[in-house]
Amino acid sequence: QVQLQQWGAGLLKPSETLSLTCAVYGGSLSGYYWTWIRQAPGKGLEWIGEINQSGGTNYNASLKSRVTMSVDMSKSQFSLRLSSVTAADTAVYYCARVVSVLLYFGEDNWFDPWGQGTLVTVSS
Amino acid sequence: DIQMTQSPSSLSASVGDRVTITCRASQSISNYLNWYQQKPGKAPNLLIYAASSLQSGVPSRFSGRGSGTDFTLTISSLQPEDFATYYCQQSYITPPTFGRGTKLEFK
């Protein structure tokens, strides 16, 4: 059973770069996209972007200018960097696997499983 | 981006109750609709994918229906462990977007 474990700095100052890593256990990075999603305090879930084993990426247009994702196949890990953070970037950040399946109506995808989440606080 | 609107935002119910949560998309998304359950301090957990397919390991008291713009998640008989927040999510177009959540609380 695939499990994701994530880590990274939890307290940042404005203008610094957020850096998080997610390790995949019990499975391979190959054949899937891997995603980052965040949840600001008291708010909903926001998709940040995704990356596949070849380094192919898709980013949310709202964050694209500040986001970089990378993958390390040798370590079964993928990472998120978000530059120039502000208080608005304070959130719990989750990594997750994107499961894609061809169904009768087309190719569908969903997020499963998820990492445990990392609270990142941006404060001066 | 596609806006996902859930109602109600909160719901009080008792063990054994049948409850239904609604999710509406701002445009047609066919069957590209997923439901997640989130408990305090935990990551969301997939319940339903493709509008009505039950994820492996999820109890059969959970069910999903709908297509196009209107979807429902029903819990047929609430159990104590079901009190949580529920989110819908569209996977029709990028970026995938989520509803604001429905918090299910003890009455």
Side-chain angles (χ1 to χ4, degrees), chain A residues 42-99:
Chain A
K43 297 200 173 181
L45 295 151
E46 180 182 28
W47 180 79
I48 299 170
E50 62 185 3
I51 187 168
N52 66 15
Q53 76 272 18
S54 303
T57 56
N58 295 297
Y59 299 145
N60 194 322
S62 66
L63 298 166
K64 189 174 183 177
S65 63
R66 299 193 291 130
V67 171
T68 304
M69 293 183 184
S70 60
V71 63
D72 186 335
M73 293 293 290
S74 66
K75 295 182 179 179
S76 286
Q77 295 175 0
F78 60 102
S79 298
L80 167 70
R81 289 174 61 86
L82 180 67
S83 64
S84 304
V85 298
T86 69
D89 296 310
T90 293
V92 176
Y93 286 74
Y94 295 101
C95 59
R97 182 179 64 174
V98 183
V99 177

Side-chain angles (χ1 to χ4, degrees), chain A residues 2-47:
Chain A
V2 173
Q3 294 185 328
L4 306 184
Q5 184 171 358
Q6 58 182 103
W7 64 89
L11 181 61
L12 297 173
K13 290 181 169 40
S15 81
E16 292 184 335
T17 296
L18 177 157
S19 181
L20 298 174
T21 298
C22 185
V24 178
Y25 297 102
S28 172
L29 285 175
S30 298
Y32 294 95
Y33 270 84
W34 302 86
T35 191
W36 291 94
I37 294 164
R38 69 181 183 179
Q39 185 172 34
K43 297 200 173 181
L45 295 151
E46 180 182 28
W47 180 79

Side-chain angles (χ1 to χ4, degrees), chain A residues 37 39 42-47 50 58-61 94 103-117, chain B residues 1 30-34 36 38 41-46 49-51 55 87 89 91 94-100:
Chain A
I37 294 164
Q39 185 172 34
K43 297 200 173 181
L45 295 151
E46 180 182 28
W47 180 79
E50 62 185 3
N58 295 297
Y59 299 145
N60 194 322
Y94 295 101
L103 300 175
Y104 68 93
F105 56 87
E107 184 172 281
D108 197 3
N109 57 77
W110 48 88
F111 307 126
D112 180 68
W114 297 55
Q116 79 276 19
Chain B
D1 298 359
S30 183
N31 292 69
Y32 293 87
L33 192 283
N34 308 311
Y36 300 86
Q38 186 178 34
K42 300 294 187 181
N45 182 53
L46 178 71
Y49 61 90
Q55 170 70 346
Y87 294 93
Q89 174 246 324
S91 53
T94 299
T97 48
F98 295 82
R100 292 299 301 271

